[in-house]
Amino acid sequence: MLLEAIEHRPKINWASALDKETIELRIRTKRSDMKSVEVYAGDKYDWGRTKRYIPMRKLASDSLFDYWQAFAKPEYRRLRYAFALDDGRVKLWMTEQGFEPEEPADPNQFFDFPYLNPADIFSPPAWVKDAIFYQIFPERFANGDPSISPENVEEWGGEPRRDNFFGGDLQGVIDHLDYLEELGITAIYFTPVFEAPTNHKYDTRDYLKVDPHFGTNEKLKELVDLCHERGIRVLLDAVFNHAGRTFPAFVDCLEKGEASEYADWFHVREWPLDVKDGIPTYETFAFERNMPKFNTENPKVQDYLLKVARYWLEEVGIDGWRLDVANEVDHRFWRKFRDTVKEVNSDAYILGEVWHDSLMWLQGDQFDAVMNYPFTTAVLDFFVEQKLDAKGLTDAMGRLIAKFPTRVTEAAFNLLDSHDTPRLLTLCGGSKPLMKLAALVQLTFVGVPCIYYGDEIGLTGEQDPGCRKCMEWDTDKQDRELFDFYRTLIGMRRSSEALRTGTFRVLLAEPNSSVLAYSRYTEQEEFIIIVNNTDRPAALNLPVGTGAWSNAWDGSTAHAPQGILDLEIEPYGFRVFKKAE
C-alpha cells in the first residue's frame, strides 16, 4: 500500500454536496493498489447510533491513480468520516490525523463535513446537462437583411479576413431556425452581438445595444422568443474583461487623460494613453491596444457591467452568459455577477472561458461551467495528433471525471473547435471518417457537447480568420451525409439518459493501441461505444455481459454468447450498441 499516493481533503472537489440530502465523497489511491475502499461515517453528535461503513466504487483512473467515490445521506446533514483502505494484505484507516492500523474509536479525529447547507450546493441549471449547443459567429452565419449590411460588405462565401464583412445578421439566424431544429440543436451560443467596429465584436462600443449591422434589440428579442418557442435556449457572450477602443468611457480617457471621470475605469500605468515599443501604457487583452482592460474592482465599473448582465436577462430573456477571458477577471466580481444573474433567473447558465485548471471558478459561487478545453486537447491528441494511445485517452478522460464533483462534470462545456481554433475537419486532415470518430466521442462522453456552426455540413478552415468563413447554405455544396450523421447522433443522445448523465466505464483501452471501447449506463439502459482509430481492421472479443445488444445505428441485433461480443471494426470505423430490452 503506497501511502504517499493516498489523498483526500474535506470540501473542494473531494467532499461536496450533490443535493440537499447527499454528500459526495472521493479519495485518491495509487492505481491498482487497493482491493477495496470504504467510508466509515456517522453523525458527530450521535456517533454510536449512526456510524456505518459505506462501500466506495472506483469512479475513474488515470496513469498514476485510482479515484474512488461514495455517496452518504446523513440523517442530520452532518458527517464525520474516515476511510478504510484494504489492499488485500494490509488494512488501514485514514483519518484527518493520518493512518491507523485499527478501527479508530474517536470520531473527533476524523474528517468533518460540518453541515450540508443548501446555499453551498453547486446547482447548475437542470436543462444544461440535456442540451446540445451550437456555436454561431453571427457575421458569418447568414445574411437575412441586406439592407443593414455594412457599406463595404463582400459577396457571401468569399475569403474570410480579419477585417472584412459578409453581412451576417440576426434575421439570418431566424431564417434558419428550421435547419437548427432539424439538426436537433437545443441551445445556441452566440459570439458577441453588441455594437462594435469589428466583425468579431469582441471590442465592444455599446453593451446595451445590438450592433446595427446585426439588427436591433427588438430583433434579438424576436429571435430569443422564436428560439424559446422551439425549445432552444440562447447564450450571449459577455466581454467583461475588456472594452473596445471606441467605448465612450475609454474615448473620454483618450481625450481628457487623468482628468477624465473614467480614469479609474481602466488599469493605466502611464498617462497619456499611448503605445510604446508595441506595449500599451494601459492594461489590455493580450497587448491589443483596441481592447483596454476594465478595472472590475471599481464599484462604478461593477455597477455598469452588472446592469448590462441584468438588462439582457430581463428585457430580452436570454438564458445565460458565456464569459470571455473569464480567468483574467477577479473572483470577487464574478461572485457579484453570479448573485446578480441568479437573482434575475436562477435557471440561467454561466459559462466561463478558462483554458486551464478551472476548479477555483467551479465552487458554486461563480460559474456553472467552463469551456472544457482539456477535453478538447485529449480528444484531438488521440484522433489528430496521435500523441495518445487508447490508454492515454482514457487516462485523460478519467482525470477529467475525477477532477470535479459530479454536478460540475455533467455541465462541462465540451467542444472540439470554435472561432478561436482551426475547424475540426481541417484538424482531421480532411478525413471525414476521423472527424466522425471525434464527434462520436464528443457526443457520447460526460458533459454538454457544442458543435461549431458548419462542422455538420463539412466546413473547413484553418486558424482565425479561416475558421470564421461563411456558412454554406447551398445544399448541393453541403455534405448532407455528414449532416445526417450528426443528426442521428444528436437524436440518440437526446433520447438517452445514459448518454447524457450515465456512468462512464472503460471496457477496452490498451497501451500502444488505438482501439477504444467504453460504456455509458444507468440502472435502466446501457450503451457501448467502440472506435477503431487506425487504418487497419480491428478484431475484438469484447466482454460485455450476457444478453443481446442492438446496433443503435442500424437496429440490427448482436448476440454475446458467454458475454463476449465478437466484432470486426473497419478502419476508422465505429459501433454503438444498446443493450436490448
Side-chain angles (χ1 to χ4, degrees):
M1 186 181 296
L2 188 66
L3 302 186
E4 297 92 324
I6 301 171
E7 175 73 13
H8 173 81
R9 296 184 65 190
K11 295 289 187 156
I12 313 295
N13 55 326
W14 300 94
S16 59
L18 183 74
D19 54 40
K20 292 181 180 180
E21 299 178 344
T22 311
I23 297 171
E24 181 176 12
L25 298 170
R26 293 182 181 178
I27 189 171
R28 187 192 77 188
T29 64
K30 180 180 180 292
R31 183 163 182 157
S32 303
D33 198 30
M34 295 296 166
K35 180 180 178 182
S36 67
V37 183
E38 295 176 291
V39 178
Y40 184 34
D43 188 280
K44 58 187 172 184
Y45 300 124
D46 190 11
W47 179 255
R49 187 181 66 85
T50 61
K51 65 180 180 180
R52 65 195 185 281
Y53 280 93
I54 305 171
M56 303 192 81
R57 75 172 186 90
K58 193 181 296 184
L59 170 71
S61 301
D62 61 24
S63 58
L64 298 176
F65 304 110
D66 290 329
Y67 301 89
W68 302 78
Q69 177 191 62
F71 298 98
K73 291 194 173 186
E75 186 176 356
Y76 303 107
R77 296 189 180 182
R78 302 178 296 260
L79 198 71
R80 280 276 169 86
Y81 61 96
F83 297 95
L85 303 142
D86 187 350
D87 67 359
R89 297 174 293 109
V90 176
K91 187 168 185 177
L92 294 177
W93 280 258
M94 179 186 180
T95 72
E96 195 169 63
Q97 306 304 311
F99 296 95
E100 299 186 26
E102 304 292 338
E103 179 182 282
D106 183 7
N108 289 325
Q109 305 301 311
F110 287 15
F111 296 102
D112 189 20
F113 197 102
Y115 193 78
L116 204 169
N117 289 291
D120 293 334
I121 298 171
F122 182 93
S123 301
W127 62 266
V128 172
K129 66 181 184 297
D130 299 325
I132 306 291
F133 270 92
Y134 189 83
Q135 182 188 353
I136 291 179
F137 192 85
E139 217 284 320
R140 304 291 162 78
F141 188 66
N143 187 336
D145 185 359
S147 69
I148 62 173
S149 296
E151 291 183 3
N152 57 344
V153 67
E154 299 181 19
E155 185 177 354
W156 192 260
E159 187 69 24
R161 301 190 306 275
R162 291 182 184 271
D163 60 354
N164 63 347
F165 295 85
F166 294 98
D169 52 39
L170 298 181
Q171 184 61 50
V173 180
I174 291 173
D175 293 343
H176 293 285
L177 288 178
D178 285 347
Y179 171 87
L180 296 179
E181 192 170 21
E182 180 188 6
L183 182 59
I185 297 306
T186 65
I188 301 172
Y189 150 43
F190 286 102
T191 54
V193 299
F194 307 136
E195 185 177 24
T198 57
N199 56 37
H200 55 72
K201 311 301 178 191
Y202 280 100
D203 53 342
T204 313
R205 175 185 293 137
D206 188 342
Y207 286 84
L208 295 172
K209 179 183 178 183
V210 168
D211 192 282
H213 295 142
F214 287 168
T216 62
N217 293 17
E218 292 72 25
K219 180 60 67 173
L220 179 59
K221 179 167 176 50
E222 178 187 350
L223 168 58
V224 170
D225 289 345
L226 289 171
C227 284
H228 287 170
E229 289 176 10
R230 297 168 183 257
I232 298 174
R233 310 271 182 160
V234 176
L235 203 67
L236 294 187
D237 211 323
V239 192
F240 289 173
N241 174 70
H242 55 269
R245 191 175 181 84
T246 59
F247 182 64
F250 190 72
V251 171
D252 198 72
C253 290
L254 286 169
E255 294 174 351
K256 300 176 183 176
E258 288 182 89
S260 170
E261 63 179 297
Y262 302 104
D264 194 40
W265 277 47
F266 307 94
H267 296 274
V268 181
R269 294 192 303 275
E270 181 182 341
W271 296 93
L273 303 179
D274 198 1
V275 179
K276 295 183 177 180
D277 299 323
I279 305 296
T281 62
Y282 50 94
E283 298 295 328
T284 67
F285 167 69
F287 300 121
E288 172 51 65
R289 70 194 299 266
N290 294 323
M291 295 182 177
K293 180 176 173 62
F294 278 122
N295 175 15
T296 49
E297 296 178 34
N298 182 328
K300 292 182 179 179
V301 173
Q302 293 176 11
D303 290 345
Y304 175 77
L305 296 179
L306 296 178
K307 173 186 174 183
V308 171
R310 180 182 291 274
Y311 175 83
W312 297 101
L313 288 162
E314 290 180 337
E315 300 301 322
V316 175
I318 66 170
D319 300 287
W321 290 102
R322 182 264 190 185
L323 308 173
D324 189 55
V325 201
N327 58 329
E328 296 186 19
V329 177
D330 65 273
H331 291 280
R332 186 172 295 180
F333 173 77
W334 286 136
R335 293 185 181 101
K336 292 181 178 180
F337 176 85
R338 181 181 184 87
D339 287 345
T340 298
V341 168
K342 297 297 184 176
E343 179 185 326
V344 177
N345 179 6
S346 61
D347 220 21
Y349 183 46
I350 302 175
L351 171 68
E353 183 196 19
V354 181
W355 290 60
H356 50 85
D357 189 338
S358 54
L359 183 61
M360 291 307 297
W361 288 270
L362 296 169
Q363 297 297 302
D365 59 345
Q366 294 172 73
F367 306 159
D368 293 314
V370 299
M371 301 181 76
N372 196 358
Y373 280 105
F375 166 81
T376 312
T377 300
V379 173
L380 297 181
D381 278 352
F382 178 67
F383 288 110
V384 176
E385 304 296 337
Q386 298 184 344
K387 294 179 181 178
L388 297 178
D389 56 17
K391 180 179 179 299
L393 175 60
T394 56
D395 284 349
M397 289 175 160
R399 190 159 51 250
L400 288 172
I401 290 172
K403 197 174 191 67
F404 303 106
T406 296
R407 292 289 181 256
V408 176
T409 305
E410 289 177 347
F413 194 84
N414 295 342
L415 67 163
L416 293 179
D417 56 352
S418 73
H419 66 290
D420 286 327
T421 72
R423 282 188 171 272
L424 180 57
L425 186 54
T426 296
L427 289 167
C428 292
S431 169
K432 190 166 71 169
L434 192 60
M435 178 186 183
K436 286 182 176 181
L437 295 186
L440 173 64
V441 170
Q442 179 193 25
L443 280 146
T444 58
F445 187 61
V446 186
V448 183
C450 179
I451 298 162
Y452 187 39
Y453 80 95
D455 280 358
E456 75 283 359
I457 48 93
L459 278 195
T460 58
E462 297 287 351
Q463 191 76 38
D464 172 29
C467 59
R468 302 177 181 184
K469 65 171 55 173
C470 296
M471 177 66 174
E472 180 57 71
W473 290 113
D474 183 344
T475 54
D476 291 336
K477 296 179 180 179
Q478 294 180 344
D479 188 328
R480 297 303 296 182
E481 191 274 335
L482 186 59
F483 178 90
D484 288 339
F485 169 84
Y486 269 94
R487 182 176 58 179
T488 300
L489 193 51
I490 289 169
M492 193 181 303
R493 182 183 176 95
R494 288 183 60 180
S495 64
S496 166
E497 182 70 26
L499 290 179
R500 299 194 305 274
T501 62
T503 300
F504 173 85
R505 179 174 60 200
V506 178
L507 301 178
L508 178 69
E510 297 296 330
N512 303 313
S513 170
S514 292
V515 180
L516 169 69
Y518 58 89
S519 72
R520 296 291 309 280
Y521 65 92
T522 63
E523 292 182 359
Q524 288 74 36
E525 63 178 357
E526 181 174 6
F527 281 80
I528 291 175
I529 295 92
I530 307 166
V531 298
N532 176 17
N533 184 31
T534 73
D535 59 3
R536 302 173 304 280
L540 303 181
N541 300 112
L542 189 65
V544 296
T546 57
W549 294 80
S550 62
N551 186 318
W553 216 260
D554 62 18
S556 62
T557 300
H559 294 280
Q562 290 77 52
I564 303 293
L565 272 178
D566 293 317
L567 302 167
E568 182 168 300
I569 312 294
E570 63 276 10
Y572 299 111
F574 66 89
R575 297 288 187 276
V576 180
F577 291 107
K578 182 179 181 181
K579 194 161 190 176
E581 296 291 340

